[in-house]
Amino acid sequence: MATRPLPPSIRPATRDDDRALSGVLSRSFFDDPVMSWLVPDEATRDRRQRTFYRAELGHAHANGLVLTTDDHAGAALWLAPKRWKIGTMSMVRQGPAVLRAFGRRVPAALRLQSAMERVHPAESHWYLAILGTDPSRQGRGVGAGLIREVTDRCDDTATGAYLESSKEANISYYARFGFVVTDEVVMPNGPKLWGMWRDPRS
């Protein structure tokens, strides 16, 4: 009889993990519709994405919680209640990295961010800004562990949770954890995202 793999051991990440996690996220999102739209050149996409995700990891460390596994199989960037919106100082700090990542596509990235902010819920919640699992480790419960680590906390504290899905195929996956589609963001000549909200479970 084949043995089932043990569930992944989830732990908070530190800045020492950022180099490895930026690579994991880049591989995870290499064919993502949003990132493909923002970085259409496949030859430079990995390098540019790693730059972007290093900046996003720094923001999440400062404003929430970064989760990973001991073997860096995946990463979840959760922003704490009332800390989801990028402030002016954060934009200034991230500016050089965003420019290196997106180049002439920066205006498109800013339009997308603005459109996402317009439909973002006002209620207090944990925001799953980014979730990625290394392609070689998908289907083994890594993503589920990274989600439940915080949604269980949300249930304990009667707090909502929110995310955006950049792939329609992932909507049913997130629905397994209680997320439901509440809004859609459609970029002209670009990708579509689905805002998904989760009420806490009693």
Side-chain angles (χ1 to χ4, degrees):
M1 176 185 289
T3 59
R4 298 181 65 181
L6 293 173
S9 177
I10 307 299
R11 66 169 175 84
T14 70
R15 297 306 299 264
D16 290 338
D17 296 304
D18 285 2
R19 182 179 180 87
L21 296 185
S22 65
V24 168
L25 292 172
S26 180
R27 291 189 293 275
S28 175
F29 283 89
F30 192 82
D31 65 347
D32 179 77
V34 172
M35 296 308 294
S36 299
W37 179 65
L38 291 174
V39 189
D41 181 12
E42 289 189 5
T44 63
R45 189 179 299 155
D46 180 62
R47 172 177 57 82
R48 290 175 179 270
Q49 286 191 153
R50 286 172 185 258
T51 298
F52 171 70
Y53 289 124
R54 285 291 290 269
E56 290 295 293
L57 284 160
H59 180 69
H61 283 301
N63 294 280
L65 179 65
V66 178
L67 296 174
T68 188
T69 63
D70 287 337
D71 58 356
H72 298 131
L77 281 62
W78 285 95
L79 300 181
K82 301 181 181 179
R83 302 290 294 274
W84 64 267
K85 193 166 185 177
I86 299 177
T88 302
M89 290 307 300
S90 294
M91 290 183 67
V92 170
R93 284 192 295 269
Q94 290 185 251
V98 171
L99 183 59
R100 289 196 303 274
F102 301 130
R104 288 180 291 181
R105 297 292 291 160
V106 165
L110 293 176
R111 288 195 298 273
L112 175 61
Q113 178 182 322
S114 178
M116 292 165 61
E117 288 183 354
R118 283 196 294 271
V119 302
H120 201 108
E123 299 96 322
S124 181
H125 62 277
W126 277 89
Y127 173 40
L128 181 54
I130 300 173
L131 172 71
T133 302
D134 195 292
S136 67
R137 299 293 304 278
Q138 291 177 0
R140 302 185 187 181
V142 176
L146 295 169
I147 292 173
R148 289 195 177 108
E149 188 73 15
V150 172
T151 56
D152 286 350
R153 180 185 305 189
C154 289
D155 293 341
D156 290 341
T157 59
T159 305
Y162 180 74
L163 59 81
E164 294 105 1
S165 177
S166 55
K167 289 184 177 179
E168 188 171 11
N170 288 344
I171 291 175
S172 59
Y173 174 77
Y174 291 122
R176 289 166 41 193
F177 306 97
F179 288 91
V180 296
V181 174
T182 54
D183 280 291
E184 295 180 357
V185 175
V186 182
M187 300 304 295
N189 302 312
K192 182 176 182 178
L193 294 92
W194 291 264
M196 303 187 70
W197 174 264
R198 180 186 186 275
D199 283 322
R201 295 170 172 173
S202 56

